[in-house]
Amino acid sequence: MGNFLIILIFAITIYVGNGQRIKTLNIGALFYDDEYEIEESFVKTINLINSQNEVHIKLNPLIRRLYETEGSAILENKAVSLVENGVAAIFGPSSKTDSDIVSLLCNATGIPHILFDYLSEENDMLKVNHRMTINVFPSQAIMSKAYADIVQNFVWKKFTIVYNSEDASAPYRLQDLLQLKDINEKIVRVRTFKRGGDYRILWKSIKGERRVVLDCPPDILVDVLNASIPFGITAQFSHMFLTNLNTQMANFDDLRDNVTFAVNITAARLKLRESLNEDMNVWNSTDLLTMKLLPDLVHDAVMLFYLAVKNISVMYKINPPQITYNYQQEVEDPWPMGLYINRIMKVIASSDDSHFHYGFMQFDDSGHRNNFTLDIYEPVDNYLLATWDTDGHISQKEVEITNLKKIVYKVATRIGEPYFMLKEDAENRTGNDRYVGYAVDLITEIANVLKFDFLFVPVADNNYGKLNKETNQWDGIIGELINNDAHMGICDLTITQKRKAVVDFTVPFMQLGISILAYEKPIEQKPWNAFMEPFTNDVWVYVMISIFIIAFLFLFMARVSSSEWQNPHACNKDPEVLENTWDISNSFWLTMGSIMTAGSDILPRSAPMRTFNAMWWIFAIIVTNSYTANLAAFLTNSKMEGDIKGVEDLAKQSAVKFGTIQGGSTYTLFSESNETTFRLAYNMMQSEEPSVYTKTNDEGVERVLKNNGTYMFLMETTSLEYNTERNCKLKMLGETFGEKHYAIAVPFGAEYRSNLSVAILKLGELGKLFELKKKWWSYENNDCPQQEQGTSENNDLNFSEVRGIFYTLFVGIFVAYVVGITEFLIYVQHVAAEEKLTYKEALIKELKFVMKVWNNKKPITPGCSTRASSHMSGSTDKSSKSSKSRRSEMFKIDSRPELLEARSIKSLKSAIVNNIRDPRI
């Protein structure tokens, strides 16, 4: 502002009192011979100004034409001729010249120099020599910032910059984007081309690239784009940003009707004055837009100069410069009014935009335009998307698009149950009708919500997506998305950090984890005598022989041991006979009872007998405990993996091998984890030979079945549940770990990703995701023995394993009852004979008594008492003559009337004792 006041005082001092007006003011211009549109706009603008005659100033255009074959010397001569003709300003030349001779000339003579085309970046030394230059074309440095802001708004994480190598100013316009290449070459690639060259070589080098920043002149733009079509650059959902501000001048008619040209194109252009179509003054009635950047900027440049002259001429007389220029000598007296006009132009540019096509202008100290607005638009169908201002703000516009091409989404997937499978008669079907599975149903549901068409594209290698470190290329579904061969990928595709670095994912449609797939050994049917398996047949034979031999040896020792012969009646101090309680039945019962840990009601008395019995008990304990210990091992399903309950157990053993899919998400979890157990498990898998890794889940399942329990497979729980549901020989071991999510993968920056996520959330809220999971995971024909599967993990016995014990019990009870019933029937025969009854009557009588379970007392019949008395005598009496005489005496006693009147066993015993004590006996 201080400089402005100084200039104003200086001008007043020189021109005060001078009321005469300049009638004609020469305006010089330098145009190339093929810039007829720019020249025409220049002349029309001057004629428009002269026709208004607002300040009685007539602008007289003096034009010098240039040719590209001419050098800087000729350019200087033509510029000098304009100076010598007293021009008040020089416009041009355009950026076709690589010389700043005109700027230097104007700076030396004080004549305003106004440019309308881009100017290469200047250093501080050049700025000193260009003080009289103003450029209405946007500053290249700010344009570079604008392009970086727009690309950042696109959220591109990877892209390629393409520009004309013959355009020296292109690197300046793109410098902010090119700086990203210096930071990370994997994010930003740079390619160049030459006008008239083979553009196919350019596009082949970046085949499949989905994000491109293209700086290309509009006259060759269509040719360059057509060359990219065979290489997938312009396929659906690719995005291309065109930086040339004159892009709208390209002829997009052929591309507009080309079905293979489906790329999303965005371009930038200077924003027109918002009030342009609303102003109805005399200027707007004739001031028509050419819709071409440079001609319209020439208009703005001439109007800017005119407005400055108009403001000055109100008070001051403007005398045209009269300068003789000699390039060998410095100009001693530059035109003083030139600097003043230059300053006024900078002041009024930002105060009034009514005469400019591209709105307000603002310049920095070097004369560069640093205030403008860009339209971000779609150039093919020409509709506005957003606007950018120099503050870096991008304002989105609501646009209704009605002429979009019909989009058919390509869905990359892989064959794998139950997500994506071929129908049995797939060879007789076409298109999507050939496939069935969870992924097919899910995409169909999403398509019904979002109203789009899709086509399944199974990947050739049937892989999920793995990075090849040697080629730095992705394969499988991820590779299809990166190479722009598909618009989305779906299957059991896990979200991982590496994949998120190259593609985007929707919200998850399924949550899962990792577990262990193991072989379920079939439950063997044990034989009925399985309880005898702890001992071999010969051991059982030896044990049975030992019982019989020990019983007879025990009997023999008891008979030779004097301590075992005892008085049968303790009250009789002088017995006639001694009795030995060890007969064959008692000896056998003690021997058998000892080995069965049942004990006996009689025990040996002598030291030899007790020693003998103690040794037998030691033997019995060892045999019994050995049988008990081995019984559990033989009656349960011993499994090699019985002690494996999870990954930690796997990592601590070496008998069972385990693996997972090579390069899959589970592999990545183990290889990149810092957890000790996972690292140990990964190292074990890496060291195994042959490799324990597989290419697919199906291969892993097959390997588990083939190895019969010596191989386990780490896999995601969804696939694990699906396989165990359909194969009784498979089971899941341990708890779930390593939480994961399945989602739909889309290329970076895909605009439709948010719509897919919303559709997935909607399906989840409606219960559709649960229904689809149930539909494809449940198996109606599952006939696996669920109860046995459930108990196979522990040592509990089932009936099939111990049924032999029950059979033995039933046989023993049956034999006992057969013997008891036989004895009962014989007893009934005796009762019938004694009581003079028929056999039937006696049988009914005894059965009635047997059924009275509450009666524990039974009357003795005479016959029965005789038999009972005979049983009370010692068994040893039967082998001696004295025993025979005693038996005859006892029979006599038994016939006494007191015994006959006895009604119970107790009274019988009492009568016998009394008779024994009777001195008459």
Side-chain angles (χ1 to χ4, degrees), residues 29-42 63-66 68 91-97 116-117 294-295 298:
L30 297 167
F31 300 125
Y32 279 87
D33 62 326
D34 58 349
E35 297 176 340
Y36 57 89
E37 292 180 339
I38 300 174
E39 181 179 338
E40 181 182 10
S41 177
F42 177 76
I63 299 175
R64 300 291 184 267
R65 291 184 177 85
L66 306 174
E68 294 186 11
F91 292 82
S94 66
S95 60
K96 288 184 178 182
T97 181
F116 50 84
D117 201 356
L294 295 186
V298 166

Side-chain angles (χ1 to χ4, degrees), residues 724-781:
T724 55
E725 184 77 10
R726 284 157 178 76
N727 195 327
C728 300
K729 294 182 180 180
L730 298 173
K731 65 178 180 179
M732 183 175 74
L733 283 182
E735 298 180 353
T736 300
F737 62 93
E739 181 178 339
K740 295 184 177 183
H741 299 90
Y742 290 159
I744 299 176
V746 297
F748 261 141
E751 296 82 1
Y752 50 91
R753 178 174 68 99
S754 59
N755 292 335
L756 292 175
S757 297
V758 172
I760 292 173
L761 293 175
K762 184 176 181 180
L763 292 177
E765 293 173 356
L766 296 176
K768 292 290 185 180
L769 296 181
F770 175 78
E771 293 177 4
L772 291 179
K773 176 74 179 297
K774 183 177 180 181
K775 172 184 176 181
W776 289 104
W777 266 256
S778 299
Y779 187 56
E780 297 179 356
N781 298 326

